[in-house]
Amino acid sequence: MTAKITLHRTARSALAGHVSGAGHQWATTTLELAGFAPADDGIHHLSTDDPDQTRQALHQLRQSARDLDVTVTLSPQPYVGDVAADLAQRLPGHWEVDLVPLPESDQQEGLLPWVWGPGPLTKALEWDRIPCAARLTNDRTELLLVQPSSDNQYVVGAMLPSPDDVETFVDGPRSISAATSDLAANLVQSQLLPQRQEAVFSSRLAEADNDLRWAQETYEPGDVVEPYPQMLTCGLRRFLTHAPELIAYLRGPKTRHALTAHEAEFLDYFEAALGHAQKDGDEAMALWLTEGEQLIELVRAAPDRPTTVTQPATPTAMPVRPPAVVTSTGRAR
């Protein structure tokens, strides 16, 4: 049974210990016998402010590791928590950093279905053993940072949006790889985040179009009466969520000047009607089923619109993301 401890020097005069392997419980015991204190994120830390106490703790660590058959390695790589904190400070807005311990390989593999987009992040999770990753979150944007053991690169990629936000219909942004946190931050800002924003918008447009086509093909106008079927109500709710962003896109600097006078007049009408419809279920349903298609077509015809959308023919069930990543509030069809 294998058990491994990977130590990292941190920016706060401490050693951080990550455990991994099938016998990682013994690695945890080894750290605690040596005086490493567990943090809320599951990582163990030892202050190195006192040289004598540090030497004593490391001596105890070596002895306990030998007795319990645990391998101890001091990594030359920077501590992933420090890298993530530095990256978060370089990105626009406020980002929260959470460490994701991955003591067992199946926990690492379990992240793969939630990586959104191709690139080095998928490769690292598939081929490298990564005892700990870092998650960076800003509002509804979630990024994952890992440090592959095979090189000195920082790898950052996007995670799938919560199903409460949007069902994804397009390929996600390509993850990035960089040798420094400064370069990583530049690539995240210039490539990863804009591509993610485009993919989210394309998915919202596709979801709105898919819901409306399904509703029009499933129900005759005279059949849509209260109380509305649950699936129809869910489709309407999603449209009411997405419509303001579609309108904002059409009012953007590149698109606004491309609208004809008739299209601009329709947009003004639709935005006003949407405000009233938010308070009236019947009015909202009528607006969606009779005018929603024209709003969607306006977006599709707009210049510079993302064209990577793939549209399924019928509504599909949402995957359920593990509770540690997101808690669904029932957007699933």
Side-chain angles (χ1 to χ4, degrees):
M1 182 175 295
T2 59
K4 182 177 180 180
I5 295 171
T6 304
L7 298 178
H8 289 265
R9 296 184 178 91
T10 78
R12 297 186 176 183
S13 299
L15 288 172
H18 302 147
V19 301
S20 59
H24 61 85
Q25 297 90 341
W26 293 111
T28 298
T29 299
T30 300
L31 286 170
E32 293 178 352
L33 287 173
F36 282 71
D40 292 339
D41 54 25
I43 310 301
H44 288 70
H45 296 267
L46 175 73
S47 173
T48 57
D49 288 335
D50 187 320
D52 291 335
Q53 288 185 358
T54 301
R55 281 192 295 269
Q56 184 178 353
L58 292 178
H59 175 74
Q60 179 63 52
L61 181 69
R62 287 192 294 269
Q63 182 175 340
S64 298
R66 183 174 60 251
D67 295 342
L68 297 176
D69 194 24
V70 175
T71 301
V72 180
T73 303
L74 178 60
S75 174
Q77 292 181 319
Y79 176 47
V80 65
D82 293 337
V83 175
D86 184 56
L87 177 61
Q89 290 180 348
R90 296 174 184 273
L91 296 178
H94 177 71
W95 292 81
E96 296 287 343
V97 174
D98 298 296
L99 295 185
V100 185
L102 303 168
E104 300 183 19
S105 58
D106 60 349
Q107 293 172 309
Q108 178 176 324
E109 294 168 1
L111 289 175
L112 280 167
W114 306 109
V115 174
W116 194 24
L121 178 58
T122 298
K123 180 180 178 181
L125 290 173
E126 287 178 338
W127 298 104
D128 281 276
R129 184 63 186 98
I130 298 168
C132 186
R135 184 167 54 230
L136 293 83
T137 54
N138 174 299
D139 190 18
R140 292 174 291 183
T141 301
E142 183 177 341
L143 307 178
L144 192 72
L145 163 70
V146 302
Q147 296 173 280
S149 59
S150 57
D151 54 39
N152 292 319
Q153 298 290 305
Y154 304 137
V155 176
V156 186
M159 304 298 282
L160 279 170
S162 163
D164 293 336
D165 188 18
V166 67
E167 182 177 3
T168 54
F169 286 86
V170 303
D171 289 337
R174 184 175 181 81
S175 54
I176 63 96
S177 179
T180 66
S181 57
D182 182 39
L183 180 56
N186 288 336
L187 292 175
V188 169
Q189 289 187 68
S190 64
Q191 298 180 23
L192 183 59
L193 292 179
Q195 290 175 16
R196 182 192 180 279
Q197 183 178 13
E198 179 179 298
V200 168
F201 182 84
S202 292
S203 291
R204 286 177 177 156
L205 178 60
E207 186 172 51
D209 183 53
N210 188 56
D211 279 336
L212 183 56
R213 287 189 297 111
W214 168 81
Q216 292 174 336
E217 293 170 1
T218 305
Y219 296 96
E220 295 292 335
D223 295 337
V224 183
V225 294
E226 290 192 285
Y228 302 124
Q230 183 179 2
M231 291 178 67
L232 193 63
T233 300
C234 289
L236 171 61
R237 188 181 302 121
R238 285 188 291 270
F239 178 77
L240 294 178
T241 299
H242 297 328
E245 184 166 346
L246 302 184
I247 292 172
Y249 174 80
L250 290 171
R251 293 200 182 283
K254 292 184 179 180
T255 306
R256 181 178 66 249
H257 300 297
L259 295 176
T260 66
H262 176 73
E263 290 170 341
E265 183 179 353
F266 167 79
L267 192 60
D268 290 339
Y269 152 75
F270 192 95
E271 188 171 26
L274 185 65
H276 294 296
Q278 297 280 3
K279 304 175 184 179
D280 188 314
D282 285 337
E283 191 172 341
M285 185 66 72
L287 181 68
W288 177 41
L289 295 179
T290 60
E291 310 284 0
E293 185 174 1
Q294 187 171 347
L295 177 68
I296 293 170
E297 288 306 314
L298 271 181
V299 177
R300 289 200 176 283
D304 300 321
R305 186 189 61 78
T307 57
T308 54
V309 177
T310 56
Q311 304 173 42
T314 58
T316 55
M318 298 289 188
V320 179
R321 190 190 286 245
V325 182
V326 72
T327 301
S328 176
T329 58
R331 272 178 48 89
R333 293 182 172 91

